[in-house]
Amino acid sequence: MRSRRRFLVWSVASALAALGTARRANALQPGEAERRRHERLAAGVARSDEPWIGYYSPRALEDRMRSGGFAVAQALGAEEMNRRYFDGRADGFRLYGSGRIMAAQV
């Protein structure tokens, strides 16, 4: 991740990055629907030769992005993304779960 982060920062003066992040499966309750979805998704990603190899707390990842040259770094969870992007939708669409998006900008 470090080399990709530096490439973005050094290559483009106005680079934006959006990274999907997840909690470790063992941080979720056994048998919980979210844990089962996590395990299925992780297996699918691994089959496509891109296994999840690192997990960061939202704060730690924000710090890493900032130390790598991004001026803005925010970890957005379902509640924040729902408030920003989905409130007021006629169809009632909402995000659920513990996944997050890391949004960063040079």
Side-chain angles (χ1 to χ4, degrees):
M1 184 171 103
R2 183 177 299 157
S3 62
R4 287 184 189 143
R5 190 175 62 224
R6 286 189 178 144
F7 174 79
L8 285 170
V9 172
W10 293 339
S11 299
V12 183
S14 61
L16 300 171
L19 311 168
T21 66
R23 293 172 56 191
R24 291 183 183 277
N26 63 6
L28 303 170
Q29 295 298 315
E32 183 178 274
E34 185 176 2
R35 183 172 181 160
R36 291 190 305 271
R37 284 190 304 271
H38 179 283
E39 289 168 349
R40 282 193 307 269
L41 183 57
V45 170
R47 282 192 301 274
S48 67
D49 292 330
E50 292 198 21
W52 291 337
I53 57 173
Y55 293 87
Y56 299 92
S57 72
R59 182 68 184 160
L61 187 53
E62 286 175 358
D63 291 346
R64 288 185 71 123
M65 297 301 283
R66 286 190 185 105
S67 71
F70 286 90
V72 176
Q74 296 181 304
L76 306 173
E79 184 177 317
E80 177 66 14
M81 287 187 284
N82 285 329
R83 186 184 62 72
R84 284 185 181 201
Y85 307 116
F86 305 118
D87 275 356
R89 279 183 57 136
D91 62 3
F93 179 84
R94 307 293 289 167
L95 295 173
Y96 298 95
S98 62
R100 303 179 88 66
I101 296 292
M102 172 58 62
Q105 181 176 4
V106 175

